[in-house]
Amino acid sequence: MRNLIAFLAKYYHWLLFLLLEVASAVLLFRFNNYQGSAWFTSANYLAGKVYEQEAAVTQFFSLTTVNEELSLRNIYLERQLSQLRRLYAEATKDSSTERKEQQMLQQYKVIPAKVVSNTINRPDNLITIDKGLKDGVEKDMGVICGNGVVGVVYLTSDHYAVLIPVLNAMASRISCAIRNRGYFGYLHWDGGDPSIAYLEDIPRHAKFKRGEWVETSGYSSIFPPGVLVGKIGTVYNSRDGLSYRLKIHLSTDFSNLRDVFVISDYTFKERVELQSAAIDSMKVKSN
């Protein structure tokens, strides 16, 4: 209390000055039409500018949600388009085909995640995302984005997961096929350009053209069929001359990767356990 009284005693003349200024302004703008109109116009302009900046900030921070929704929508549309292509290619009136396609789509769900760490200039690049075991993410699940394939879950903790992306020359091998052609091979990145990978082991009798799309084959237990991978560029012979090696321009921009989606398949565990049991059984028989 003493400090407050001392402060008021020391600066009372400034406080009195401010009080008189406020009272003068109120009297001026309230009882004079011209000054009141000018004040009203200026106040509205200032308030409008404040609201404009507030809206801009709100819109900026909402872009993340909008981008995530657009990416997710793009994935669903790409999957639906892939299934429609299959139905059209089969050219059948059997309604059971459509039911099978719908059942296959229903077995998958996606878990949205954000990239928190990413490298593209190393031979053994890794990506870290902000979802883990408690969010349903498990080892060996596939990861995609709105533009195509990203990679495979390698390690998980409760709240984070580390991925082996396509851009990992040491460990990434993804089964892919040429769209509407049926010929398949595996995708491998040699290092260097993060927008280029190679599709290996395409048979010599395969027929295709430059510019055709490559997508996941669905032959692995990780990715569903029809997820976009990239376009065919240059065609090379393999080192042994027995197959083709295709240069693929990747559809995923790994240098600007933010929103990704982990593919959760409720039949995943069952298939992995069955494959492991088959491998163990073959080892026992061979011994």
Side-chain angles (χ1 to χ4, degrees):
M1 181 60 71
R2 290 181 180 178
N3 292 334
L4 178 60
I5 294 174
F7 176 80
L8 293 175
K10 185 176 181 180
Y11 296 105
Y12 77 94
H13 51 284
W14 287 108
L15 296 175
L16 180 61
F17 172 75
L18 290 175
L19 181 61
L20 293 174
E21 283 290 318
V22 171
S24 299
V26 170
L27 293 173
L28 176 65
F29 293 121
R30 184 172 182 181
F31 297 103
N32 293 275
N33 293 333
Y34 174 77
Q35 286 82 357
S37 176
W39 164 256
F40 182 77
T41 302
S42 300
N44 278 349
Y45 176 79
L46 180 61
K49 282 296 182 181
V50 171
Y51 289 136
E52 182 180 344
Q53 294 302 317
E54 181 184 1
V57 172
T58 303
Q59 184 179 14
F60 174 78
F61 284 106
S62 68
L63 286 178
T64 300
T65 303
V66 172
N67 187 50
E68 181 178 312
E69 291 174 352
L70 288 175
S71 298
L72 184 57
R73 183 61 179 167
N74 193 26
I75 290 171
Y76 281 125
L77 290 175
E78 187 66 32
R79 292 288 300 123
Q80 290 174 358
L81 184 59
S82 175
Q83 305 310 325
L84 288 174
R85 286 196 190 97
R86 285 193 180 84
L87 292 174
Y88 179 77
E90 290 175 0
T92 177
K93 296 181 180 180
D94 184 5
S95 61
S96 64
T97 303
E98 184 176 358
R99 287 197 298 271
K100 290 177 182 178
E101 296 290 351
Q102 291 175 349
Q103 289 173 359
M104 184 176 69
L105 282 172
Q106 289 174 357
Q107 78 183 46
Y108 298 102
K109 72 173 184 177
V110 293
I111 302 170
K114 301 286 184 185
V115 173
V116 297
S117 175
N118 182 21
T119 60
I120 61 172
N121 55 2
R122 301 170 52 183
D124 56 348
N125 293 303
L126 296 173
I127 295 175
T128 304
I129 60 175
D130 64 350
K131 294 294 173 67
L133 291 171
K134 290 191 174 181
D135 305 292
V137 177
E138 298 183 14
K139 187 178 185 298
D140 292 331
M141 285 184 172
V143 182
I144 60 179
C145 68
N147 294 323
V149 169
V150 173
V152 180
V153 177
Y154 178 55
L155 292 173
T156 56
S157 64
D158 285 345
H159 302 290
Y160 294 94
V162 175
L163 318 179
I164 294 178
V166 171
L167 305 185
N168 188 306
M170 308 295 185
S172 179
R173 298 288 189 278
I174 297 174
S175 177
C176 300
I178 302 173
R179 177 179 287 175
N180 296 332
R181 298 287 188 177
Y183 304 110
F184 63 92
Y186 68 89
L187 189 71
H188 179 247
W189 182 64
D190 285 350
D193 192 340
S195 67
I196 299 295
Y198 294 89
L199 189 61
E200 312 278 0
D201 291 345
I202 297 298
R204 297 286 296 184
H205 63 272
K207 296 181 180 180
F208 54 86
K209 299 177 182 178
R210 291 182 60 183
E212 289 190 312
W213 287 101
V214 172
E215 58 191 15
T216 54
S217 64
Y219 293 149
S220 71
S221 58
I222 297 176
F223 292 101
V227 178
L228 203 61
V229 174
K231 278 187 176 181
I232 299 175
T234 310
V235 180
Y236 304 98
N237 288 320
S238 63
R239 291 182 177 86
D240 58 12
L242 300 178
S243 60
Y244 288 124
R245 186 173 192 254
L246 310 184
K247 183 178 182 180
I248 306 299
H249 297 273
L250 298 173
S251 58
T252 299
D253 183 1
F254 286 90
S255 64
N256 190 29
L257 195 60
R258 297 291 181 272
D259 297 294
V260 297
F261 301 89
V262 183
I263 300 175
S264 177
D265 178 4
Y266 71 84
T267 66
F268 176 77
K269 286 186 177 180
E270 181 181 350
R271 283 184 289 161
V272 171
E273 290 173 359
L274 184 61
Q275 290 174 358
S276 299
I279 293 173
D280 293 341
S281 177
M282 293 176 65
K283 288 181 179 178
V284 170
K285 288 183 179 180
S286 63
N287 293 332

